[in-house]
Amino acid sequence: MSLTNAPRPLRSVLIANRGEIACRVMRTARRLGLRTIAVYSDADANARHVREADEAVRLGPAPARESYLDIDKVIAAAKLSGADAIHPGYGFLSENAEFVAACEAAEIVFVGPPASAIAAMGDKASAKARMANAGVPLVPGYHGEAQDDALLREEAGKIGYPVLLKASAGGGGKGMRVVESDREFQAALDGCRRESRAAFGDERMLIEKYLTQPRHVEVQVFCDSQGNGVYLFERDCSVQRRHQKVLEEAPAPNLSPALRQAMGEAAVRAAQEIGYVGAGTVEFLLDAASETSSSEAVHFYFMEMNTRLQVEHPVTEMITGEDLVEWQLRVAAGLPLPKAQDELTLTGHAIEARLYAEDPDNDFLPATGTLERFGLDPNAGGLAPERVRLDSGVEAGDDVSMHYDPMLAKLIVHGEDRGQALAEMDRALAALDVSGVTTNRRFLQRLVTHPDFIAARLDTRFIEHHHDDLFANEPVTDADIARAALVALDRLDRASDERSPWERSDGWRLNAPQHVRLAFAEAEGTPPIPVVATRSASHSTWQLSVNRNGEESNHYEGKLQRLDGDAVAITLDGHRRRLLARTELSAGGETIILTAAGFESRLIWRRSDRVDHLSHEVAAKLSAPMHGTVVALLVEPGQPVEKGTPLVVVEAMKMEHTLSAPAAGAVEAFHFKVGDAVAQGDELLAFASAEATEGV
Ligand code: ADP
């Protein structure tokens, strides 16, 4: 049934959000024939969600309080544009009961649960009381009304340390602290109260037993206004930083079908207990120790219910083949759920990685800037497009401001099983072409290739426990440096080709440098690592010597072949690798970035290379001007010579031609001996000039 002749007809929807979720919701709304209306703050006037919408209405200045969180302005925008419904996305006003009431008052359909259901789950303490009623298991703890310090401390003692203090009104990990012992209790309580008062204007606390190695497993539920409820299986979101999710997957690894069903049914009971309608997520903690046992022996505990669509909903879409936004819109229009429980199936495995504009190596500090490039590089090898989804709210050229959440996009992959999904994710992350803004891309790659993640040894402190591996500065090998050098050499050649394109007509680079000294640094301020490159006589390969800290040099023979776009094939001593090669300007020079699945190397190319520069004219003199014979070598290799010193004599057509030093320097090697025949264009010798020359 179309949404236009549903019990509550929908022809248009306003999305009271921004970024990737606004774009995501509009995609389905458009497919269902709805007119889409975006809202925006001044910081987002030209944002992607505004560009993609049929209409867009300005809310106000950049701060969320004056724009996306301003209920009156959002309602006014809906009236102005004649929106039949408002989809709140996640965050912002999505779990605000007052906003739902305002929609009702304005006779606009709110795509989400009734205000009463939001209110019931909005407070963690009263939510726990309701859940206990519905027979949903709770973490042992205290969630009573009495709040005096002595009583709370006594309750904590009864529960047994460690305990977790949580703000009743809390969310987003705020007002939450682990308390290890009775001695620390008072200080932690004071701290949590302060935080909670500042963030939520409320200082009520609850206490829970702190599970030291739990998994975060949540169940997707859906209810319609006819009283039907189903669960669309679960997601494991154990990999978190600062209690915020980084990787999510569905289904949860190693969950027995019995436990899956028990959790699913408990989640539907939880939703129905509060008269839920729409998409919701019931979050549970799972005792990691009991994950493979049967449902009777396993402990899972209700944590909270999120009364909205979750960031990580795409992994559920991928394993069920359902469009959850479509379900939301249908339910909001008063239609029944599209499927019953026994019609829902679970196929394969899906993983989502959240791409944040942040610096993992700097305590996940949010990053800002202008995205120079953004997207999945189609030239990356081995990607299966039908298995990969990139949900983003940005495009190249967009600004990333400090006003909103730093999440830029979500990369979601699907595989026949978890192993395939992991491999797909690794490749997709390598193909993610993003520059201009620091992101956690490389960190995500390290996560998905970590042996314990691959083995699904998951718990909510995964990142903390594997800190050393995940944040390790990967050692840069000499081979990495040699590969970067080949990229640099290719850039130099390209630059000189552009300057004198006719040189390429016979495939013979008359003026290309034969000897280049390059320098790389692992990071700004680290000592330069010199590389000496010598082009082979055939011009197809380079001999490279990498010399670190005066240690013995490592020698390589390498070549680079350009493929499509940024893709290159680099062969080093017979080992060919397909990589994406990019350069980014940085303070210390140009950073050469090479990526492949599970691999990234970044090296700063110090652009004060000493290129033994052979100008067109000079080079011509060092190559045989025509077919002939070498008749004299006039200097010894290595002997210092002045510019203009005669070096070699070639006889051709009965005339002698003398080639002279193009600059002060020395002949490194003669490639022919007296009596040898040479062809026109043959390089006769390798010359190193004493003077450094910038660039080519
Ligand atoms: P918020 O609403 O602030 O996000 P939650 O109650 O959802 O807070 O908890 C957030 C995260 O904190 C969970 O995903 C989990 O990692 C951790 N957590 C919450 N309760 C416990 C507990 N009792 N024991 C151990 N970890 C917990």
Side-chain angles (χ1 to χ4, degrees):
M1 193 194 284
S2 102
L3 298 181
T4 12
N5 40 33
R8 283 191 293 277
L10 300 186
R11 284 173 209 86
S12 57
V13 61
L14 178 145
I15 298 92
N17 215 302
R18 63 182 301 283
E20 70 86 17
I21 192 61
C23 298
R24 157 74 193 93
V25 171
M26 286 195 280
R27 199 164 62 228
T28 294
R30 256 195 314 271
R31 181 168 62 73
L32 298 178
L34 299 184
R35 180 165 57 95
T36 56
I37 302 143
V39 288
Y40 63 94
S41 72
D42 291 341
D44 282 341
N46 193 34
R48 179 169 174 181
H49 74 281
V50 174
R51 299 196 296 267
E52 289 185 353
D54 293 316
E55 294 171 31
V57 183
R58 175 183 180 267
L59 294 176
R65 245 175 310 103
E66 298 169 58
S67 50
Y68 299 104
L69 284 173
D70 187 321
I71 293 177
D72 293 341
K73 285 180 180 167
V74 174
I75 298 285
K79 286 187 178 155
L80 177 75
S81 56
D84 294 326
I86 296 182
H87 192 301
Y90 52 71
F92 293 131
L93 295 170
S94 62
E95 296 183 284
N96 186 314
E98 204 188 312
F99 178 59
V100 181
C103 290
E104 269 163 37
E107 295 184 358
I108 299 165
V109 173
F110 175 77
V111 183
S116 57
I118 293 181
M121 286 298 177
D123 183 86
K124 287 186 202 285
S126 51
K128 287 184 86 170
R130 294 286 292 268
M131 292 303 106
N133 255 351
V136 179
L138 301 180
V139 191
Y142 172 80
H143 51 268
E145 279 178 22
Q147 290 284 316
D148 53 286
D149 291 11
L151 177 112
L152 291 179
R153 187 166 173 174
E154 196 186 309
E155 290 292 340
K158 274 195 234 159
I159 296 163
Y161 289 94
V163 299
L164 185 64
L165 270 170
K166 278 190 194 178
S168 287
K174 291 198 193 90
M176 212 160 90
R177 263 178 223 207
V178 182
V179 194
E180 299 288 350
S181 71
D182 182 70
R183 236 176 332 111
E184 298 165 20
F185 186 82
Q186 190 60 45
L189 177 63
D190 294 343
C192 276
R193 282 202 167 131
R194 266 197 307 277
E195 235 172 270
S196 179
R197 214 181 307 126
F200 315 109
D202 183 305
E203 53 176 50
R204 287 168 306 126
M205 289 291 140
L206 59 88
I207 312 171
E208 283 176 5
K209 174 86 194 147
Y210 182 66
L211 307 177
T212 47
Q213 268 193 306
R215 283 168 62 182
H216 174 120
V217 178
E218 57 184 35
V219 177
Q220 176 71 54
V221 294
F222 241 103
C223 300
D224 60 23
S225 44
Q226 286 76 5
N228 305 304
V230 298
Y231 59 91
L232 290 93
F233 314 108
E234 77 289 336
R235 300 180 281 260
D236 189 309
C237 316
S238 298
V239 181
Q240 307 181 342
R241 57 135 175 76
R242 295 210 202 107
H243 300 300
Q244 278 184 322
K245 297 161 188 166
V246 181
L247 289 176
E248 299 107 335
E249 55 184 307
N254 308 326
L255 213 67
S256 68
L259 180 54
R260 172 164 298 126
Q261 188 180 344
M263 292 180 78
E265 288 171 357
V268 173
R269 271 203 312 282
Q272 289 184 328
E273 161 73 19
I274 58 166
Y276 202 78
V277 176
T281 294
V282 184
E283 296 187 333
F284 294 105
L285 285 178
L286 194 72
D287 245 347
S290 56
E291 63 196 23
T292 43
S293 17
S294 69
S295 70
E296 288 77 29
V298 158
H299 298 291
F300 65 90
Y301 305 108
F302 171 83
M303 200 164 25
E304 67 172 350
M305 179 166 184
N306 290 321
T307 52
R308 51 167 162 82
L309 192 68
Q310 301 269 93
V311 174
E312 58 273 23
H313 75 275
V315 290
T316 299
E317 297 187 321
M318 280 194 152
I319 60 158
T320 58
E322 303 295 328
D323 179 334
L324 298 194
V325 174
E326 176 175 352
W327 280 46
Q328 284 191 296
L329 291 167
R330 292 173 69 93
V331 167
L335 296 169
L337 291 178
K339 285 193 175 165
Q341 190 65 57
D342 59 8
E343 293 172 300
L344 287 164
T345 51
L346 190 167
T347 308
H349 198 93
I351 304 179
E352 172 180 284
R354 298 190 187 190
L355 186 75
Y356 287 107
E358 68 182 15
D359 184 1
D361 294 327
N362 194 359
D363 203 20
F364 298 104
L365 195 74
T368 58
T370 301
L371 284 165
E372 281 157 27
R373 311 160 65 115
F374 187 85
L376 278 176
D377 191 325
N379 300 308
L383 263 194
E386 69 285 0
R387 296 183 177 282
V388 180
R389 168 172 162 184
L390 179 65
D391 278 19
S392 85
V394 291
E395 284 169 342
D398 286 355
D399 286 327
V400 178
S401 79
M402 43 145 217
H403 296 288
Y404 314 109
D405 189 272
M407 194 178 81
L408 294 178
K410 307 180 304 202
L411 192 55
I412 312 109
V413 300
H414 187 246
E416 279 164 31
D417 54 29
R418 190 169 187 269
Q420 198 187 52
L422 278 170
E424 201 68 44
M425 178 57 89
D426 189 17
R427 273 195 290 272
L429 284 167
L432 200 59
D433 182 9
V434 40
S435 72
V437 177
T438 306
T439 71
N440 63 340
R441 193 192 66 82
R442 180 67 189 129
F443 180 71
L444 291 170
Q445 262 186 322
R446 286 189 205 142
L447 276 172
V448 299
T449 52
H450 193 283
D452 280 359
F453 186 74
I454 292 172
R457 284 191 281 272
L458 303 168
D459 74 83
T460 55
R461 286 155 76 194
F462 186 92
I463 291 178
E464 208 182 306
H465 288 150
H466 298 94
H467 188 278
D468 290 352
D469 302 339
L470 296 171
F471 295 89
N473 275 334
E474 286 144 299
V476 177
T477 66
D478 283 2
D480 293 337
I481 296 167
R483 287 192 189 92
L486 288 166
V487 175
L489 292 164
D490 181 58
R491 303 274 146 137
L492 292 175
D493 273 347
R494 244 198 276 200
S496 75
D497 287 350
E498 275 158 22
R499 234 167 286 164
S500 50
W502 61 86
E503 297 302 345
R504 296 163 65 184
S505 55
D506 57 358
W508 164 249
R509 284 201 178 86
L510 205 55
N511 68 339
Q514 310 305 310
H515 300 275
V516 183
R517 286 166 213 276
L518 302 159
F520 294 90
E522 294 185 35
E524 267 160 48
T526 61
I529 303 162
V531 177
V532 178
T534 305
R535 204 191 294 267
S536 68
S538 68
H539 273 230
S540 62
T541 62
W542 289 91
Q543 300 295 330
L544 301 156
S545 333
V546 181
N547 184 286
R548 272 210 258 199
N549 316 326
E551 289 164 27
E552 206 164 305
S553 304
N554 266 318
H555 302 284
Y556 301 91
E557 182 179 68
K559 69 175 176 190
L560 179 147
Q561 183 194 352
R562 291 174 211 156
L563 306 173
D564 293 332
D566 291 331
V568 294
I570 293 181
T571 309
L572 210 59
D573 289 344
H575 178 193
R576 184 180 191 272
R577 284 181 84 173
R578 188 190 164 101
L579 299 150
L580 292 175
R582 304 183 184 112
T583 53
E584 243 174 52
L585 284 178
S586 59
E590 206 169 319
T591 302
I592 295 183
I593 304 159
L594 286 168
T595 55
F599 171 81
E600 176 176 285
S601 93
R602 280 176 175 264
L603 281 155
I604 302 174
W605 175 19
R606 296 278 201 77
R607 297 288 318 253
S608 54
D609 318 315
R610 193 166 126 188
V611 175
D612 291 341
H613 178 159
L614 309 177
S615 72
H616 180 77
E617 186 191 66
V618 168
K621 282 191 200 152
L622 293 178
S623 314
M626 55 191 78
H627 297 289
T629 310
V630 176
V631 293
L633 304 178
L634 304 174
V635 295
E636 291 293 324
Q639 172 193 336
V641 294
E642 294 304 313
K643 183 175 178 179
T645 307
L647 302 176
V648 57
V649 184
V650 178
E651 188 203 87
M653 318 232 358
K654 310 262 177 256
M655 281 176 65
E656 284 194 1
H657 301 267
T658 304
L659 280 76
S660 310
V667 171
E668 290 196 331
F670 288 106
H671 299 322
F672 299 93
K673 54 188 191 312
V674 172
D676 283 348
V678 294
Q680 183 181 359
D682 275 354
E683 191 200 353
L684 299 180
L685 54 87
F687 189 82
S689 69
E691 293 249 288
T693 316
E694 288 273 324
V696 184

